[in-house]
Amino acid sequence: MRVAVIGGGVMGAATAWRIAKRGVDVVCFDRHSPPHALGSSHGESRIIRTAYFEGSWYVPLLQEVFPMWRELEAASGARLLTMTGALMIGDASSEVVAGAFASAREHSLDAEFLDSNELRRRYPGHVVRAGDVAVLDRQAGVLNPEACVAAMLSHVQRVERGTVVESLADLRSAFDAVVVAAGPWTSELIDWIPLRVERQVHGWFSIARDADWFTPDRFPAFVRQSRENGFMYGIPTLDKKTIKVGRHHDGETTHPHRIRRRVDEFDLDPLRLLTATYMRGVSGHVRHTITCMYTNTPDNHFVIDFSPDDRRVLVISACSGHGFKFGPVIGDIAADLVCDGGTQRDISHFSAARFAAAPHVPDDNGDRDQQRDH
Ligand SMILES: Cc1cc2nc3c(=O)[nH]c(=O)nc-3n(C[C@H](O)[C@H](O)[C@H](O)COP(=O)(O)OP(=O)(O)OC[C@H]3O[C@@H](n4cnc5c(N)ncnc54)[C@H](O)[C@@H]3O)c2cc1C
């Protein structure tokens, strides 16, 4: 059997790694040179957590994925995962707190509910207002995305870097199966999943010299939701000088060939507002910024499904801003589907059929073919 994987971001790299592990001949194609900073799998850190507010059905996959990240670490000798715990902060009825709490209770997870006083006492880096509470998820931490992708690809014999797959027809005759893991470029290759690409900016904010509470041992990664300002997230400091902060969603609709890579002051103002409102010991000075893309489905849940008219084509669109942490388990599911024709894992939530009646969402100007930046 010969399998082609289109894309060497975390999803394609994980798929190729898990297929290669089964002794199957696999080639991974990427238009750039992964790990790279032009798609969705870059930026020094990614949060991994278990008390999943997005849906309790993700929890079994998350419980499975931690040992897989450790397996990859052992096989590659690279440090990929740092356990920090994670805080979901908001009012008790917010999606992040209520959702994380529900997942923790349903799956008896190692998690703790913190009231306002306890949250304030333990974590001086957070400004805690009346009504703010949190779920502390202990089975959580931070992954290094570039190192993860490099480690996965190091187990794949053939990685064709700088190779653009223009259409699936190019590969169908030479391979028994094709896995599309093209992230924000997916709609160039298939048109049966409604996807919207969203530009995201995150910034590394300077921390005050006396603010010693942001280190990974004292400051869990966090996601915070407020009625006024939506979702923000932050990662403990990795250099003792800066802390990475981003907004979750609320980015402009974009296209991978035309994304505005330059970060302007008006991109940073919303982040400054968030750090000034919700964090203590963070200055308005931004040392470094990066742009990245979310590939969103209409309900922000993943798609892992065969093409409706060709079961030799499998599509993985596992982003919507929260896919990285699942890389190895989604790669293994893809390997099950391609090599065995099915999987034991419950992937019923990821079927593309749920969008069958949904209208296609156009990209920023409805044109997929202009300005290719191969
Ligand atoms: C700012 C930001 C923060 C995030 N934070 C988190 C987080 O904390 N935790 C978490 O779990 N997830 C997070 N995510 C989501 C996560 O990073 C994504 O779900 C994941 O990286 C998506 O990976 P991918 O492989 O699908 O896409 P990509 O990484 O974009 O990979 C797609 C690859 O396909 C290649 N390609 C495309 N078209 C072709 C073609 N025609 N021929 C050949 N190659 C092609 C591209 O070059 C690219 O390398 C975040 C995402 C962003 C943008």
Side-chain angles (χ1 to χ4, degrees):
M1 181 177 204
R2 293 197 78 210
V3 181
V5 176
I6 307 172
V10 69
M11 294 305 155
T15 301
W17 165 44
R18 300 308 285 190
I19 290 175
K21 198 172 140 73
R22 297 174 190 215
V24 172
D25 187 7
V26 59
V27 185
C28 179
F29 296 91
D30 201 288
R31 68 192 319 135
H32 298 297
S33 183
H36 62 78
L38 299 167
S40 309
S41 303
H42 61 279
E44 188 183 88
S45 47
R46 286 288 183 273
I47 301 173
I48 177 168
R49 50 198 162 80
T50 309
Y52 221 56
F53 67 82
E54 292 90 340
S56 63
W57 64 88
Y58 287 98
V59 173
L61 300 178
L62 290 159
Q63 290 174 315
E64 206 186 332
V65 86
F66 277 87
M68 294 171 98
W69 284 117
R70 292 302 190 201
E71 175 195 337
L72 184 63
E73 273 187 332
S76 62
R79 179 153 186 214
L80 306 177
L81 169 61
T82 305
M83 296 300 283
T84 63
L87 279 174
M88 304 299 126
I89 308 172
D91 66 46
S93 63
S94 62
E95 193 185 336
V96 292
V97 171
F101 190 71
S103 277
R105 197 172 41 188
E106 187 178 327
H107 293 277
S108 306
L109 300 178
D110 186 3
E112 189 181 351
F113 183 82
L114 306 181
D115 65 19
S116 307
N117 288 338
E118 197 54 19
L119 183 58
R120 203 172 284 126
R121 189 183 71 75
R122 287 197 209 176
Y123 302 108
H126 289 291
V127 173
V128 179
R129 301 170 314 170
D132 286 337
V133 296
V135 173
L136 171 62
D137 176 1
R138 290 202 180 78
Q139 182 67 6
V142 177
L143 291 158
N144 177 329
E146 287 85 353
C148 292
V149 170
M152 289 167 171
L153 291 178
S154 72
H155 296 284
V156 181
Q157 244 179 359
R158 272 190 66 194
V159 181
E160 298 289 339
R161 292 180 161 86
T163 306
V164 181
V165 177
E166 298 284 357
S167 85
L168 297 182
D170 295 351
L171 301 177
R172 272 200 184 111
S173 54
F175 293 89
D176 301 297
V178 179
V179 180
V180 180
W185 290 265
T186 300
S187 297
E188 292 191 335
L189 294 164
I190 57 122
D191 63 2
W192 43 273
I193 308 174
L195 295 171
R196 183 177 79 91
V197 179
E198 182 182 354
R199 176 176 177 269
Q200 291 290 315
V201 172
H202 41 225
W204 280 256
F205 284 74
S206 295
I207 53 182
R209 223 172 258 151
D210 57 350
D212 58 357
W213 46 71
F214 289 122
T215 50
D217 53 326
R218 297 186 59 188
F219 190 77
F222 73 90
V223 182
R224 185 165 185 163
Q225 185 181 8
S226 68
R227 283 181 210 284
E228 316 79 54
N229 295 307
F231 292 81
M232 71 180 288
Y233 60 87
I235 311 269
T237 185
L238 302 176
D239 60 3
K240 299 200 173 120
K241 293 186 190 122
T242 57
I243 183 159
K244 182 173 128 181
V245 176
R247 283 199 300 167
H248 186 44
H249 294 298
D250 292 332
E252 67 200 38
T253 298
T254 189
H255 183 285
H257 296 300
R258 293 186 289 282
I259 178 172
R260 194 163 56 80
R261 294 272 174 203
R262 202 181 79 176
V263 174
D264 291 302
E265 283 300 306
F266 61 82
D267 291 311
L268 296 175
D269 287 343
L271 293 177
R272 287 201 179 96
L273 172 73
L274 292 173
T275 53
T277 309
Y278 300 109
M279 301 190 77
R280 190 172 288 112
V282 179
S283 87
H285 177 246
V286 182
R287 288 197 184 218
H288 178 50
T289 58
I290 213 164
T291 54
C292 189
M293 287 173 278
Y294 286 175
T295 307
N296 300 322
T297 62
D299 60 9
N300 288 332
H301 296 296
F302 308 153
V303 173
I304 305 173
D305 210 343
F306 290 108
S307 162
D309 50 23
D310 187 351
R311 279 185 69 90
R312 289 184 311 148
V313 175
L314 177 73
V315 176
I316 308 170
S317 184
C319 186
S320 294
H322 62 113
F324 195 95
K325 60 185 83 61
F326 295 89
V329 71
I330 289 181
D332 210 59
I333 289 169
D336 286 346
L337 294 172
V338 164
C339 302
D340 306 336
T343 182
Q344 300 284 325
R345 280 93 163 205
D346 178 7
I347 57 167
S348 53
H349 288 92
F350 308 137
S351 158
R354 70 189 193 272
F355 303 125
H360 177 68
V361 181
D363 59 28
D364 54 344
N365 65 6
D367 178 358
R368 318 191 177 138
D369 296 323
Q370 290 175 7
Q371 286 187 21
R372 293 180 172 235
D373 64 347
H374 316 151

